[in-house]
Amino acid sequence: MVFLSLSCWIRSRGPDRYWKVQDIVKNAKHFRGRKNRCYKLAVKAVRRAFVYATKGRRLKKRYMRTLWISRIAAASREHGMKYPVLMHNLTKSSVQLNRHVISNLAITEPRSFLSLAKVARARQQEGFRAALGDGKEPVGVFSRVVLLQ
Amino acid sequence: MSSFSRSAQQWATFARSWFLIDARMQPPGKIATMCAIRLQGKHKPIYHAMSDCGDHIVVMNTKQIAFSGNKWEQKVYSSHSGYPGGFKQLTAAQLHHKDPKAIVKLSVYGMLPRNLHRRTMMQRLHIFPDDELPDDILANLTEELPQPREIPKQLSEFTQEEIDAFPRLWTPPEYYKMK
């Protein structure tokens, strides 16, 4: 038999409200105050948090690079060189290691970093000889860039 | 060192060293930059702002600090007590006479980053006007840092033979009166 009156009034108004709310509130569980529980406050707080996270992903790349640079500068000063001299001479010697890798080498592989510093120092001396000399002496080993095919 | 256990290696890496700087005849700014770099830990490849990797610095002989130029008379240290009419200005010479440690302390304070770590880093800086250091600090010192400025030799320090051996640049005429 078909129920025409009472059961037509009972409707299911979206059976998944709980999960929709939880999807948002679960991202706010570590917040302070009522915004970690109440949906209306949590929505605003979570949206702001996601905006900050998006902006932060771009800033993180900048912060990490400055951190790598300061670490490489500290390690190169331990070996009597400055950061700009080191990096410029490494690029001139076609050493294509990025700052991430060089800073990790400086921390965990000190002897490899020392050898990089020596390469840079040798290339610097060759540059000085080429600039100050007469051109009669041949350019040094590190100045001859080997082009891989 | 690779034979250390992990915790021992960590302990050795993050240990705090004690540096000694002799500030005799040195410009306080150069002393302060050396101090500020080492107090922050920026001389270490493991540097991170949050890792508390700064070292202790002991500066001695700050009474014999040497400003270049006319800074003893021209450099002004200002302060305000907070009360009306409490603005005080002291020249570097007056401040140094009043407190021989203050110039180095203020220079280092101004070179540290302006955050809450600054006060802790200043607590790790130990300044002494003379070269008498207390025994507990003497026991902790690990390394002495080279002085940033070469002290020029004074005329009284030259021996008579060196003065005589120096080539004569010009002979003054007879009527010339030397000071």
Side-chain angles (χ1 to χ4, degrees), chain A residues 7-135:
Chain A
S7 52
C8 284
W9 300 335
I10 301 168
R11 292 181 188 200
S12 173
R13 286 157 68 217
D16 55 353
R17 179 185 295 169
Y18 170 77
W19 290 283
K20 284 190 181 172
V21 163
Q22 281 303 302
D23 258 350
I24 290 179
V25 169
K26 74 172 189 267
N27 295 107
K29 281 303 178 192
H30 59 284
F31 290 178
R32 199 186 212 206
R34 269 192 281 181
K35 38 188 200 295
N36 60 22
R37 297 183 291 282
C38 310
Y39 179 75
K40 280 170 97 167
L41 307 175
V43 156
K44 300 178 215 173
V46 165
R47 173 178 274 243
R48 178 161 268 238
F50 284 171
V51 166
Y52 285 155
T54 314
K55 287 189 206 167
R57 259 175 263 128
R58 308 174 109 223
L59 291 176
K60 184 177 176 181
K61 297 163 181 51
R62 296 179 213 174
Y63 293 155
M64 292 307 284
R65 191 171 157 122
T66 37
L67 182 68
W68 296 330
I69 290 175
S70 44
R71 285 183 170 178
I72 298 172
S76 54
R77 272 171 202 262
E78 275 178 5
H79 296 303
M81 275 185 97
K82 293 189 189 169
Y83 169 82
V85 171
L86 178 80
M87 297 311 283
H88 184 51
N89 291 109
L90 282 182
T91 43
K92 279 201 285 188
S93 317
S94 73
V95 171
Q96 284 167 349
L97 295 172
N98 59 7
R99 283 139 185 89
H100 189 170
V101 167
I102 300 181
S103 67
N104 286 346
L105 287 180
I107 296 172
T108 53
E109 319 279 344
R111 294 183 200 182
S112 312
F113 186 83
L114 177 60
S115 58
L116 281 176
K118 284 181 179 170
V119 164
R121 174 80 76 198
R123 180 67 186 81
Q124 187 193 28
Q125 298 301 323
E126 282 174 17
F128 289 158
R129 262 179 282 142
L132 299 168
D134 300 336

Side-chain angles (χ1 to χ4, degrees), chain B residues 31-61:
Chain B
I31 298 285
T33 44
M34 292 167 65
C35 293
I37 290 173
R38 281 165 184 82
L39 286 168
Q40 293 173 273
K42 287 211 146 185
H43 61 297
K44 298 181 178 173
I46 44 161
Y47 166 76
H48 195 280
M50 297 274 136
S51 337
D52 190 19
C53 44
D55 290 328
H56 288 257
I57 309 264
V58 178
V59 188
M60 66 179 196
N61 282 330

